[in-house]
């Protein structure tokens, strides 16, 4: 004998929603890599937080201030893989992905150093719908490779 279990779905994730969620992640790191710090900060919710390098940055102004401190001789490339939506509702979503980071550093004589892989991080972006736009409510990650 079989027992059917009823499942109530409160919110169906549409393809356009998944694309919108992924777009926030991709645009954030693209903004970092082209050093458009204002655009990166604008993708964070007004009261959003970013757990970055042992510090919790809260709000757009804190994110922008931290990004403006980045070394101008340092060029980065952030590669996003294995992106998936863990769960979503009408005004919140959790996106998980791996982030592989590379950097080069330009020497005083203008020579650009060889790219170096910094590692792979297991990341979580909790998104919130704010003023009709998906924004980062909380950004966090943990080192994946090399393992902590």
């Amino acid at each position: 004998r079989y027992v059917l279990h009823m499942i109530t779905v409160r919110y169906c994730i549409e393809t356009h929603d998944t694309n919108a969620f992924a777009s926030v992640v991709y645009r954030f790191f693209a903004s970092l890599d082209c050093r458009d710090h204002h655009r990166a900060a604008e993708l964070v919710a007004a009261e959003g937080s970013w757990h970055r390098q042992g510090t919790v940055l809260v709000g757009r102004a804190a994110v922008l201030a931290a990004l403006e401190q980045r070394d101008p001789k340092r060029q980065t490339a952030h590669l996003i893989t294995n992106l998936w939506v863990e769960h979503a509702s009408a005004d919140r979503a959790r996106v998980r992905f791996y982030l592989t980071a590379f950097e080069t550093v330009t020497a005083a004589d203008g020579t650009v150093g060889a790219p170096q892989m910094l590692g792979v991080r297991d990341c979580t972006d909790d998104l919130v719908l704010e003023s009709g736009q998906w924004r980062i409510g909380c950004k966090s990650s943990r080192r994946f490779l090399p393992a902590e």
Side-chain angles (χ1 to χ4, degrees):
R1 180 163 121 176
Y2 296 97
V3 177
L4 292 176
H5 296 276
M6 179 165 253
I7 299 172
T8 303
V9 176
R10 292 187 179 155
Y11 182 74
C12 179
I13 302 173
E14 299 290 336
T15 301
H16 68 273
D17 293 328
T18 302
N19 290 340
F21 305 151
S23 180
V24 173
V25 173
Y26 293 138
R27 286 186 296 141
F28 183 85
F29 289 107
S31 297
L32 285 185
D33 293 341
C34 70
R35 303 190 72 81
D36 188 347
H37 300 148
H38 287 277
R39 184 173 173 94
E42 296 227 350
L43 291 166
V44 176
E47 298 299 319
S49 62
W50 181 13
H51 298 258
R52 178 181 184 260
Q53 300 175 354
T55 302
V56 180
L57 307 171
V58 179
R60 293 182 188 121
V63 169
L64 180 59
L67 293 179
E68 291 293 315
Q69 298 300 312
R70 294 174 76 205
D71 183 350
K73 293 182 227 127
R74 184 173 174 254
Q75 179 63 46
T76 57
H78 294 85
L79 308 180
I80 309 301
T81 56
N82 295 18
L83 186 142
W84 59 288
V85 178
E86 185 173 292
H87 62 77
S89 68
D91 61 353
R92 298 191 177 280
R94 173 168 283 175
V95 181
R96 305 288 306 268
F97 55 95
Y98 288 149
L99 167 69
T100 305
F102 293 86
E103 75 171 356
T104 62
V105 178
T106 303
D109 67 0
T111 303
V112 178
Q116 295 185 340
M117 186 175 120
L118 300 177
V120 179
R121 299 194 70 79
D122 180 9
C123 304
T124 302
D125 279 6
D126 289 321
L127 306 179
V128 295
L129 191 62
E130 182 179 83
S131 301
Q133 299 292 317
W134 287 103
R135 299 193 190 279
I136 299 164
C138 181
K139 175 179 274 303
S140 62
S141 66
R142 69 174 185 83
R143 188 172 42 203
F144 184 68
L145 291 174
E148 290 184 299

